[in-house]
């Protein structure tokens, strides 16, 4: 059981580092002057899910779920 805990801890640390890196790679939510000129309604604004930014958001969501699940598992096994 101790080996499983060590493996989960290592995976947890890797997920933490990946989350920090991916969040830092993402752009801010403020649109700036682009929203005033209508740039948000361009092709890139409508197809944001297919762009690199959309991919980063999806990866972030997956990593957050994995982070929460592994954190809960590591906490439950502590008893």
């Amino acid at each position: 059981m101790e080996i499983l805990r060590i493996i989960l801890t290592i995976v947890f640390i890797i997920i933490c580092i990946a989350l920090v890196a991916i969040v830092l790679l993402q752009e801010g939510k403020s649109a700036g002057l682009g929203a005033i000129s209508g740039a948000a309604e361009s092709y890139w604004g409508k197809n944001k899910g297919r762009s690199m930014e959309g991919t980063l958001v999806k990866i972030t969501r997956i990593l957050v779920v994995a982070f929460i699940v592994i954190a809960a598992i590591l906490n439950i096994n502590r008893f």
Side-chain angles (χ1 to χ4, degrees):
M1 198 65 166
E2 189 63 30
I3 294 174
L4 180 63
R5 182 168 179 76
I6 292 171
I7 292 172
L8 281 177
T9 304
I10 291 171
V11 171
F12 188 70
I13 291 170
I14 292 170
I15 288 175
C16 291
I17 293 170
L19 265 175
V20 169
I22 290 177
V23 167
L24 289 175
L25 285 173
Q26 292 181 12
E27 295 181 9
K29 293 291 181 183
S30 62
L33 294 177
I36 295 173
S37 64
E41 293 299 321
S42 67
Y43 173 78
W44 299 112
K46 292 179 182 175
N47 292 319
K48 193 177 277 189
R50 295 183 184 172
S51 67
M52 185 64 170
E53 183 180 343
T55 305
L56 288 175
V57 170
K58 290 177 187 175
I59 293 172
T60 303
R61 289 179 182 157
I62 292 169
L63 287 176
V64 166
V65 170
F67 175 86
I68 292 171
V69 169
I70 292 176
I73 291 171
L74 286 173
N75 194 26
I76 289 172
N77 286 337
R78 187 170 266 193
F79 296 113

